[in-house]
Short mmCIF file of all heavy atoms in Angstrom, two decimals:
data_model
loop_
_atom_site.label_atom_id
_atom_site.label_comp_id
_atom_site.label_asym_id
_atom_site.label_seq_id
_atom_site.Cartn_x
_atom_site.Cartn_y
_atom_site.Cartn_z
N MET A 1 0.85 -1.17 0.00
CA MET A 1 0.00 0.00 0.00
C MET A 1 0.89 1.23 0.00
O MET A 1 1.80 1.33 0.80
CB MET A 1 -0.91 -0.03 1.21
CG MET A 1 -1.98 0.98 1.15
SD MET A 1 -3.51 0.36 1.79
CE MET A 1 -3.59 1.04 3.36
N ARG A 2 0.60 2.15 -0.87
CA ARG A 2 1.35 3.39 -1.01
C ARG A 2 0.48 4.55 -0.59
O ARG A 2 -0.51 4.83 -1.23
CB ARG A 2 1.64 3.56 -2.50
CG ARG A 2 2.95 3.57 -2.95
CD ARG A 2 3.07 3.89 -4.45
NE ARG A 2 1.89 4.36 -5.12
CZ ARG A 2 1.42 3.85 -6.24
NH1 ARG A 2 2.01 2.85 -6.80
NH2 ARG A 2 0.36 4.35 -6.82
N ALA A 3 0.82 5.24 0.45
CA ALA A 3 0.12 6.45 0.89
C ALA A 3 -1.39 6.36 0.71
O ALA A 3 -1.99 7.19 0.07
CB ALA A 3 0.68 7.65 0.14
N GLY A 4 -1.99 5.30 1.25
CA GLY A 4 -3.43 5.14 1.18
C GLY A 4 -3.96 4.60 -0.14
O GLY A 4 -5.16 4.51 -0.32
N CYS A 5 -3.09 4.22 -1.06
CA CYS A 5 -3.52 3.67 -2.36
C CYS A 5 -3.19 2.18 -2.41
O CYS A 5 -2.09 1.77 -2.05
CB CYS A 5 -2.79 4.37 -3.50
SG CYS A 5 -3.14 6.11 -3.62
N LEU A 6 -4.14 1.41 -2.87
CA LEU A 6 -3.90 -0.02 -3.04
C LEU A 6 -3.09 -0.25 -4.30
O LEU A 6 -3.29 0.42 -5.31
CB LEU A 6 -5.22 -0.79 -3.13
CG LEU A 6 -6.07 -0.79 -1.87
CD1 LEU A 6 -7.40 -1.49 -2.13
CD2 LEU A 6 -5.35 -1.47 -0.73
N THR A 7 -2.19 -1.20 -4.25
CA THR A 7 -1.41 -1.56 -5.43
C THR A 7 -1.53 -3.07 -5.64
O THR A 7 -1.71 -3.82 -4.69
CB THR A 7 0.08 -1.19 -5.27
OG1 THR A 7 0.60 -1.88 -4.13
CG2 THR A 7 0.27 0.30 -5.10
N ASP A 8 -1.43 -3.50 -6.87
CA ASP A 8 -1.48 -4.92 -7.20
C ASP A 8 -0.27 -5.25 -8.06
O ASP A 8 -0.28 -5.02 -9.27
CB ASP A 8 -2.77 -5.27 -7.93
CG ASP A 8 -2.91 -6.75 -8.20
OD1 ASP A 8 -2.03 -7.52 -7.78
OD2 ASP A 8 -3.89 -7.15 -8.84
N PRO A 9 0.79 -5.78 -7.46
CA PRO A 9 2.02 -6.04 -8.20
C PRO A 9 2.01 -7.35 -8.98
O PRO A 9 2.99 -7.68 -9.62
CB PRO A 9 3.07 -6.09 -7.08
CG PRO A 9 2.31 -6.66 -5.92
CD PRO A 9 0.92 -6.06 -6.04
N LEU A 10 0.91 -8.11 -8.95
CA LEU A 10 0.93 -9.44 -9.55
C LEU A 10 1.11 -9.42 -11.06
O LEU A 10 1.84 -10.25 -11.61
CB LEU A 10 -0.34 -10.21 -9.18
CG LEU A 10 -0.50 -10.51 -7.69
CD1 LEU A 10 -1.75 -11.32 -7.43
CD2 LEU A 10 0.72 -11.21 -7.14
N GLY A 11 0.48 -8.49 -11.76
CA GLY A 11 0.64 -8.41 -13.22
C GLY A 11 2.09 -8.21 -13.63
O GLY A 11 2.63 -9.02 -14.41
N PRO A 12 2.76 -7.17 -13.13
CA PRO A 12 4.17 -6.98 -13.46
C PRO A 12 5.06 -8.15 -13.00
O PRO A 12 6.02 -8.50 -13.67
CB PRO A 12 4.55 -5.69 -12.74
CG PRO A 12 3.25 -4.96 -12.56
CD PRO A 12 2.21 -6.02 -12.38
N LEU A 13 4.72 -8.74 -11.86
CA LEU A 13 5.51 -9.86 -11.36
C LEU A 13 5.41 -11.07 -12.29
O LEU A 13 6.41 -11.71 -12.63
CB LEU A 13 5.06 -10.24 -9.96
CG LEU A 13 5.82 -11.38 -9.29
CD1 LEU A 13 7.29 -11.02 -9.10
CD2 LEU A 13 5.19 -11.72 -7.95
N ILE A 14 4.20 -11.37 -12.75
CA ILE A 14 4.00 -12.50 -13.67
C ILE A 14 4.68 -12.21 -15.01
O ILE A 14 5.31 -13.10 -15.60
CB ILE A 14 2.50 -12.80 -13.86
CG1 ILE A 14 1.92 -13.35 -12.54
CG2 ILE A 14 2.27 -13.79 -15.00
CD1 ILE A 14 0.42 -13.44 -12.50
N ALA A 15 4.61 -10.98 -15.48
CA ALA A 15 5.28 -10.61 -16.73
C ALA A 15 6.79 -10.78 -16.59
O ALA A 15 7.45 -11.30 -17.50
CB ALA A 15 4.94 -9.17 -17.11
N ALA A 16 7.36 -10.38 -15.45
CA ALA A 16 8.79 -10.55 -15.22
C ALA A 16 9.17 -12.03 -15.16
O ALA A 16 10.21 -12.44 -15.67
CB ALA A 16 9.21 -9.84 -13.93
N ALA A 17 8.30 -12.84 -14.55
CA ALA A 17 8.55 -14.28 -14.48
C ALA A 17 8.56 -14.90 -15.89
O ALA A 17 9.41 -15.73 -16.20
CB ALA A 17 7.51 -14.97 -13.61
N ARG A 18 7.63 -14.47 -16.74
CA ARG A 18 7.61 -14.97 -18.12
C ARG A 18 8.90 -14.60 -18.85
O ARG A 18 9.48 -15.40 -19.56
CB ARG A 18 6.42 -14.40 -18.87
CG ARG A 18 5.13 -15.07 -18.52
CD ARG A 18 4.01 -14.59 -19.44
NE ARG A 18 2.75 -15.12 -18.97
CZ ARG A 18 1.64 -14.42 -18.85
NH1 ARG A 18 1.63 -13.15 -19.20
NH2 ARG A 18 0.54 -14.98 -18.42
N THR A 19 9.33 -13.36 -18.66
CA THR A 19 10.57 -12.90 -19.29
C THR A 19 11.76 -13.74 -18.82
O THR A 19 12.69 -14.01 -19.58
CB THR A 19 10.82 -11.42 -18.96
OG1 THR A 19 9.72 -10.65 -19.47
CG2 THR A 19 12.10 -10.91 -19.57
N ALA A 20 11.72 -14.19 -17.56
CA ALA A 20 12.80 -14.99 -16.99
C ALA A 20 12.67 -16.47 -17.34
O ALA A 20 13.49 -17.28 -16.91
CB ALA A 20 12.83 -14.81 -15.48
N GLY A 21 11.62 -16.86 -18.10
CA GLY A 21 11.49 -18.24 -18.54
C GLY A 21 10.56 -19.10 -17.70
O GLY A 21 10.68 -20.32 -17.69
N PHE A 22 9.63 -18.47 -17.00
CA PHE A 22 8.68 -19.22 -16.19
C PHE A 22 7.26 -19.06 -16.73
O PHE A 22 6.93 -18.06 -17.34
CB PHE A 22 8.71 -18.75 -14.72
CG PHE A 22 9.97 -19.12 -14.02
CD1 PHE A 22 11.05 -18.26 -14.03
CD2 PHE A 22 10.08 -20.32 -13.35
CE1 PHE A 22 12.23 -18.59 -13.39
CE2 PHE A 22 11.26 -20.67 -12.71
CZ PHE A 22 12.33 -19.81 -12.73
N CYS A 23 6.44 -20.05 -16.45
CA CYS A 23 5.04 -20.05 -16.86
C CYS A 23 4.17 -19.98 -15.60
O CYS A 23 4.39 -20.72 -14.64
CB CYS A 23 4.75 -21.34 -17.63
SG CYS A 23 3.04 -21.54 -18.10
N TYR A 24 3.20 -19.08 -15.60
CA TYR A 24 2.27 -18.92 -14.48
C TYR A 24 1.28 -20.08 -14.49
O TYR A 24 0.66 -20.37 -15.50
CB TYR A 24 1.54 -17.58 -14.62
CG TYR A 24 0.37 -17.40 -13.70
CD1 TYR A 24 0.56 -16.98 -12.40
CD2 TYR A 24 -0.92 -17.63 -14.13
CE1 TYR A 24 -0.51 -16.79 -11.55
CE2 TYR A 24 -2.00 -17.44 -13.30
CZ TYR A 24 -1.80 -17.02 -12.01
OH TYR A 24 -2.86 -16.84 -11.18
N LEU A 25 1.13 -20.77 -13.35
CA LEU A 25 0.21 -21.90 -13.26
C LEU A 25 -1.02 -21.62 -12.40
O LEU A 25 -2.12 -21.97 -12.77
CB LEU A 25 0.93 -23.13 -12.69
CG LEU A 25 2.09 -23.68 -13.51
CD1 LEU A 25 2.75 -24.84 -12.77
CD2 LEU A 25 1.63 -24.11 -14.88
N GLN A 26 -0.80 -20.99 -11.24
CA GLN A 26 -1.91 -20.85 -10.29
C GLN A 26 -1.63 -19.74 -9.30
O GLN A 26 -0.49 -19.40 -9.01
CB GLN A 26 -2.10 -22.17 -9.55
CG GLN A 26 -3.33 -22.22 -8.69
CD GLN A 26 -3.55 -23.63 -8.11
OE1 GLN A 26 -2.68 -24.47 -8.16
NE2 GLN A 26 -4.73 -23.85 -7.56
N HIS A 27 -2.69 -19.17 -8.76
CA HIS A 27 -2.64 -18.13 -7.73
C HIS A 27 -3.42 -18.63 -6.53
O HIS A 27 -4.59 -18.96 -6.64
CB HIS A 27 -3.27 -16.85 -8.30
CG HIS A 27 -3.38 -15.74 -7.32
ND1 HIS A 27 -4.20 -14.67 -7.54
CD2 HIS A 27 -2.82 -15.50 -6.12
CE1 HIS A 27 -4.13 -13.83 -6.54
NE2 HIS A 27 -3.29 -14.32 -5.67
N ILE A 28 -2.76 -18.71 -5.39
CA ILE A 28 -3.39 -19.18 -4.15
C ILE A 28 -3.37 -18.02 -3.15
O ILE A 28 -2.33 -17.39 -2.94
CB ILE A 28 -2.66 -20.40 -3.57
CG1 ILE A 28 -2.67 -21.55 -4.58
CG2 ILE A 28 -3.27 -20.83 -2.24
CD1 ILE A 28 -1.75 -22.70 -4.23
N VAL A 29 -4.52 -17.73 -2.55
CA VAL A 29 -4.63 -16.67 -1.54
C VAL A 29 -4.51 -17.31 -0.16
O VAL A 29 -5.20 -18.28 0.15
CB VAL A 29 -5.97 -15.92 -1.67
CG1 VAL A 29 -6.13 -14.90 -0.56
CG2 VAL A 29 -6.08 -15.26 -3.03
N ILE A 30 -3.63 -16.77 0.65
CA ILE A 30 -3.43 -17.26 2.02
C ILE A 30 -4.00 -16.21 2.97
O ILE A 30 -3.51 -15.08 3.02
CB ILE A 30 -1.93 -17.49 2.31
CG1 ILE A 30 -1.37 -18.49 1.31
CG2 ILE A 30 -1.72 -17.94 3.75
CD1 ILE A 30 0.14 -18.56 1.29
N VAL A 31 -5.05 -16.56 3.67
CA VAL A 31 -5.72 -15.63 4.59
C VAL A 31 -5.03 -15.71 5.95
O VAL A 31 -4.82 -16.81 6.48
CB VAL A 31 -7.22 -15.99 4.74
CG1 VAL A 31 -7.89 -15.10 5.77
CG2 VAL A 31 -7.92 -15.89 3.40
N HIS A 32 -4.67 -14.55 6.49
CA HIS A 32 -4.05 -14.49 7.80
C HIS A 32 -5.15 -14.31 8.84
O HIS A 32 -5.48 -13.20 9.25
CB HIS A 32 -3.03 -13.35 7.88
CG HIS A 32 -1.99 -13.43 6.82
ND1 HIS A 32 -1.09 -14.47 6.73
CD2 HIS A 32 -1.73 -12.64 5.76
CE1 HIS A 32 -0.31 -14.28 5.69
NE2 HIS A 32 -0.67 -13.18 5.09
N GLY A 33 -5.76 -15.43 9.21
CA GLY A 33 -6.86 -15.40 10.15
C GLY A 33 -7.19 -16.79 10.64
O GLY A 33 -6.64 -17.78 10.16
N ARG A 34 -8.09 -16.84 11.59
CA ARG A 34 -8.53 -18.14 12.10
C ARG A 34 -10.05 -18.14 12.19
O ARG A 34 -10.68 -17.09 12.36
CB ARG A 34 -7.90 -18.43 13.45
CG ARG A 34 -8.38 -17.52 14.54
CD ARG A 34 -7.86 -17.98 15.91
NE ARG A 34 -8.19 -16.97 16.88
CZ ARG A 34 -7.34 -16.11 17.40
NH1 ARG A 34 -6.08 -16.17 17.06
NH2 ARG A 34 -7.74 -15.21 18.26
N SER A 35 -10.59 -19.31 12.06
CA SER A 35 -12.04 -19.48 12.10
C SER A 35 -12.54 -19.34 13.53
O SER A 35 -11.96 -19.89 14.47
CB SER A 35 -12.39 -20.86 11.54
OG SER A 35 -13.76 -21.11 11.69
N ASN A 36 -13.65 -18.60 13.68
CA ASN A 36 -14.31 -18.46 14.97
C ASN A 36 -15.81 -18.52 14.69
O ASN A 36 -16.42 -17.49 14.40
CB ASN A 36 -13.92 -17.16 15.66
CG ASN A 36 -14.54 -17.04 17.04
OD1 ASN A 36 -15.19 -17.95 17.52
ND2 ASN A 36 -14.33 -15.90 17.67
N GLY A 37 -16.36 -19.70 14.73
CA GLY A 37 -17.77 -19.88 14.38
C GLY A 37 -17.96 -19.62 12.90
O GLY A 37 -17.33 -20.25 12.06
N ASP A 38 -18.83 -18.65 12.57
CA ASP A 38 -19.07 -18.32 11.17
C ASP A 38 -18.28 -17.09 10.72
O ASP A 38 -18.60 -16.49 9.71
CB ASP A 38 -20.56 -18.12 10.92
CG ASP A 38 -21.14 -16.95 11.70
OD1 ASP A 38 -20.44 -16.42 12.58
OD2 ASP A 38 -22.28 -16.57 11.42
N ARG A 39 -17.24 -16.75 11.48
CA ARG A 39 -16.42 -15.57 11.16
C ARG A 39 -14.95 -15.96 11.03
O ARG A 39 -14.53 -16.99 11.52
CB ARG A 39 -16.53 -14.52 12.26
CG ARG A 39 -17.91 -13.98 12.47
CD ARG A 39 -17.94 -13.05 13.67
NE ARG A 39 -16.74 -12.27 13.82
CZ ARG A 39 -16.65 -10.95 13.73
NH1 ARG A 39 -17.74 -10.27 13.51
NH2 ARG A 39 -15.53 -10.31 13.87
N ILE A 40 -14.19 -15.11 10.38
CA ILE A 40 -12.74 -15.25 10.34
C ILE A 40 -12.16 -14.07 11.10
O ILE A 40 -12.43 -12.91 10.76
CB ILE A 40 -12.21 -15.27 8.90
CG1 ILE A 40 -12.74 -16.50 8.18
CG2 ILE A 40 -10.68 -15.27 8.90
CD1 ILE A 40 -12.34 -16.56 6.71
N GLU A 41 -11.40 -14.36 12.14
CA GLU A 41 -10.76 -13.32 12.93
C GLU A 41 -9.34 -13.11 12.40
O GLU A 41 -8.61 -14.08 12.21
CB GLU A 41 -10.69 -13.72 14.40
CG GLU A 41 -12.04 -13.78 15.06
CD GLU A 41 -11.94 -14.15 16.54
OE1 GLU A 41 -10.83 -14.48 17.02
OE2 GLU A 41 -12.98 -14.09 17.20
N PRO A 42 -8.94 -11.87 12.16
CA PRO A 42 -7.59 -11.62 11.66
C PRO A 42 -6.52 -12.05 12.66
O PRO A 42 -6.69 -11.91 13.86
CB PRO A 42 -7.55 -10.10 11.46
CG PRO A 42 -8.89 -9.58 11.78
CD PRO A 42 -9.71 -10.66 12.37
N THR A 43 -5.45 -12.60 12.14
CA THR A 43 -4.27 -12.93 12.94
C THR A 43 -3.08 -12.30 12.22
O THR A 43 -2.41 -12.95 11.42
CB THR A 43 -4.08 -14.45 13.10
OG1 THR A 43 -4.06 -15.05 11.81
CG2 THR A 43 -5.19 -15.08 13.91
N PRO A 44 -2.86 -11.01 12.46
CA PRO A 44 -1.80 -10.29 11.72
C PRO A 44 -0.42 -10.90 11.93
O PRO A 44 -0.12 -11.45 12.98
CB PRO A 44 -1.86 -8.88 12.30
CG PRO A 44 -3.01 -8.82 13.22
CD PRO A 44 -3.51 -10.20 13.46
N ILE A 45 0.39 -10.78 10.92
CA ILE A 45 1.77 -11.25 10.97
C ILE A 45 2.62 -10.15 11.63
O ILE A 45 2.51 -8.98 11.26
CB ILE A 45 2.30 -11.53 9.55
CG1 ILE A 45 1.48 -12.65 8.92
CG2 ILE A 45 3.77 -11.86 9.57
CD1 ILE A 45 1.83 -12.87 7.47
N MET A 46 3.45 -10.54 12.57
CA MET A 46 4.31 -9.57 13.26
C MET A 46 5.22 -8.87 12.25
O MET A 46 5.84 -9.50 11.41
CB MET A 46 5.16 -10.28 14.31
CG MET A 46 5.95 -9.30 15.18
SD MET A 46 6.92 -10.14 16.45
CE MET A 46 5.63 -10.85 17.44
N GLY A 47 5.22 -7.55 12.29
CA GLY A 47 6.07 -6.76 11.41
C GLY A 47 5.46 -6.46 10.05
O GLY A 47 6.05 -5.76 9.24
N ALA A 48 4.26 -7.01 9.77
CA ALA A 48 3.59 -6.76 8.48
C ALA A 48 2.99 -5.36 8.48
O ALA A 48 2.69 -4.79 9.53
CB ALA A 48 2.51 -7.79 8.26
N PRO A 49 2.80 -4.79 7.29
CA PRO A 49 2.15 -3.48 7.20
C PRO A 49 0.74 -3.53 7.80
O PRO A 49 0.09 -4.57 7.74
CB PRO A 49 2.07 -3.20 5.70
CG PRO A 49 3.00 -4.16 5.06
CD PRO A 49 3.14 -5.32 5.98
N PRO A 50 0.28 -2.44 8.38
CA PRO A 50 -1.08 -2.41 8.94
C PRO A 50 -2.12 -2.75 7.87
O PRO A 50 -2.02 -2.30 6.74
CB PRO A 50 -1.26 -0.97 9.42
CG PRO A 50 0.10 -0.37 9.44
CD PRO A 50 0.96 -1.17 8.51
N GLY A 51 -3.09 -3.56 8.23
CA GLY A 51 -4.17 -3.89 7.31
C GLY A 51 -3.90 -5.09 6.43
O GLY A 51 -4.79 -5.52 5.71
N LEU A 52 -2.70 -5.67 6.49
CA LEU A 52 -2.42 -6.85 5.67
C LEU A 52 -3.20 -8.03 6.22
O LEU A 52 -3.01 -8.44 7.36
CB LEU A 52 -0.92 -7.19 5.68
CG LEU A 52 -0.55 -8.42 4.87
CD1 LEU A 52 -0.61 -8.11 3.37
CD2 LEU A 52 0.83 -8.92 5.24
N ILE A 53 -4.12 -8.56 5.41
CA ILE A 53 -4.94 -9.68 5.89
C ILE A 53 -4.78 -10.93 5.03
O ILE A 53 -5.34 -11.97 5.35
CB ILE A 53 -6.43 -9.30 5.96
CG1 ILE A 53 -6.94 -8.86 4.60
CG2 ILE A 53 -6.66 -8.24 7.02
CD1 ILE A 53 -8.45 -8.68 4.54
N HIS A 54 -4.02 -10.82 3.93
CA HIS A 54 -3.76 -12.01 3.13
C HIS A 54 -2.43 -11.86 2.39
O HIS A 54 -1.90 -10.78 2.26
CB HIS A 54 -4.90 -12.27 2.13
CG HIS A 54 -4.81 -11.46 0.89
ND1 HIS A 54 -5.28 -10.16 0.81
CD2 HIS A 54 -4.28 -11.73 -0.33
CE1 HIS A 54 -5.06 -9.69 -0.42
NE2 HIS A 54 -4.45 -10.63 -1.12
N SER A 55 -1.92 -13.01 1.95
CA SER A 55 -0.72 -13.04 1.11
C SER A 55 -1.07 -13.80 -0.15
O SER A 55 -2.01 -14.61 -0.17
CB SER A 55 0.44 -13.74 1.83
OG SER A 55 0.86 -13.00 2.94
N ASP A 56 -0.32 -13.56 -1.21
CA ASP A 56 -0.54 -14.23 -2.49
C ASP A 56 0.61 -15.19 -2.75
O ASP A 56 1.77 -14.81 -2.65
CB ASP A 56 -0.59 -13.21 -3.63
CG ASP A 56 -1.73 -12.23 -3.44
OD1 ASP A 56 -2.89 -12.67 -3.51
OD2 ASP A 56 -1.46 -11.05 -3.23
N LEU A 57 0.27 -16.43 -3.06
CA LEU A 57 1.27 -17.43 -3.42
C LEU A 57 1.07 -17.73 -4.90
O LEU A 57 -0.01 -18.15 -5.32
CB LEU A 57 1.08 -18.71 -2.60
CG LEU A 57 1.94 -19.90 -2.99
CD1 LEU A 57 3.41 -19.60 -2.77
CD2 LEU A 57 1.52 -21.14 -2.21
N LEU A 58 2.10 -17.45 -5.70
CA LEU A 58 2.04 -17.73 -7.14
C LEU A 58 2.79 -19.02 -7.41
O LEU A 58 3.92 -19.20 -6.94
CB LEU A 58 2.65 -16.59 -7.94
CG LEU A 58 2.01 -15.23 -7.78
CD1 LEU A 58 2.72 -14.21 -8.66
CD2 LEU A 58 0.54 -15.27 -8.12
N VAL A 59 2.17 -19.91 -8.17
CA VAL A 59 2.82 -21.16 -8.56
C VAL A 59 3.29 -20.98 -9.99
O VAL A 59 2.51 -20.70 -10.88
CB VAL A 59 1.83 -22.34 -8.44
CG1 VAL A 59 2.52 -23.64 -8.83
CG2 VAL A 59 1.26 -22.43 -7.03
N LEU A 60 4.60 -21.15 -10.17
CA LEU A 60 5.23 -20.98 -11.48
C LEU A 60 5.96 -22.27 -11.84
O LEU A 60 6.33 -23.05 -10.97
CB LEU A 60 6.21 -19.81 -11.45
CG LEU A 60 5.67 -18.47 -10.97
CD1 LEU A 60 6.82 -17.52 -10.70
CD2 LEU A 60 4.73 -17.89 -12.00
N SER A 61 6.18 -22.45 -13.13
CA SER A 61 6.94 -23.59 -13.60
C SER A 61 7.91 -23.10 -14.67
O SER A 61 7.57 -22.22 -15.45
CB SER A 61 5.99 -24.63 -14.20
OG SER A 61 6.71 -25.70 -14.78
N ALA A 62 9.10 -23.69 -14.67
CA ALA A 62 10.07 -23.33 -15.70
C ALA A 62 9.52 -23.79 -17.05
O ALA A 62 8.96 -24.87 -17.18
CB ALA A 62 11.41 -23.98 -15.42
N ILE A 63 9.65 -22.92 -18.06
CA ILE A 63 9.21 -23.27 -19.41
C ILE A 63 10.26 -24.21 -19.99
O ILE A 63 11.45 -23.88 -20.05
CB ILE A 63 9.06 -22.02 -20.28
CG1 ILE A 63 7.96 -21.12 -19.70
CG2 ILE A 63 8.75 -22.39 -21.73
CD1 ILE A 63 7.85 -19.77 -20.39
N ALA A 64 9.81 -25.39 -20.42
CA ALA A 64 10.72 -26.38 -20.99
C ALA A 64 11.13 -25.94 -22.40
O ALA A 64 10.30 -25.57 -23.20
CB ALA A 64 10.04 -27.74 -21.05
N SER A 65 12.42 -25.98 -22.64
CA SER A 65 12.89 -25.63 -23.99
C SER A 65 12.98 -26.90 -24.82
O SER A 65 13.39 -27.94 -24.35
CB SER A 65 14.24 -24.93 -23.91
OG SER A 65 15.18 -25.75 -23.23
N ALA A 66 12.58 -26.77 -26.07
CA ALA A 66 12.56 -27.95 -26.94
C ALA A 66 13.86 -28.10 -27.69
O ALA A 66 14.61 -27.25 -27.93
CB ALA A 66 11.42 -27.84 -27.92
#
């Protein structure tokens, strides 16, 4: 987050991975929270920026050269 603005670095990151010879396979969202009945309570990561409630895990594979 930049001065109150949300940013999404995934597009440029995936483009850079392609340039480096990787293929994007999947995007997994990791929620930083725990279940409490029908709710999810945040469990912030120590040292993380305020308001961070999830992380993104990108699954990449090296592009096989023929």
Side-chain angles (χ1 to χ4, degrees):
M1 191 142 102
R2 243 186 11 231
C5 297
L6 294 175
T7 59
D8 184 3
L10 296 182
L13 181 63
I14 292 169
R18 283 188 187 134
T19 300
F22 290 90
C23 176
Y24 168 82
L25 298 177
Q26 188 173 13
H27 175 196
I28 300 169
V29 175
I30 302 167
V31 176
H32 305 296
R34 68 172 172 256
S35 174
N36 183 5
D38 63 349
R39 298 174 36 116
I40 296 176
E41 293 182 353
T43 54
I45 297 173
M46 187 178 295
L52 179 74
I53 58 170
H54 82 277
S55 293
D56 299 294
L57 173 64
L58 300 181
V59 181
L60 306 167
S61 175
I63 297 173
S65 57

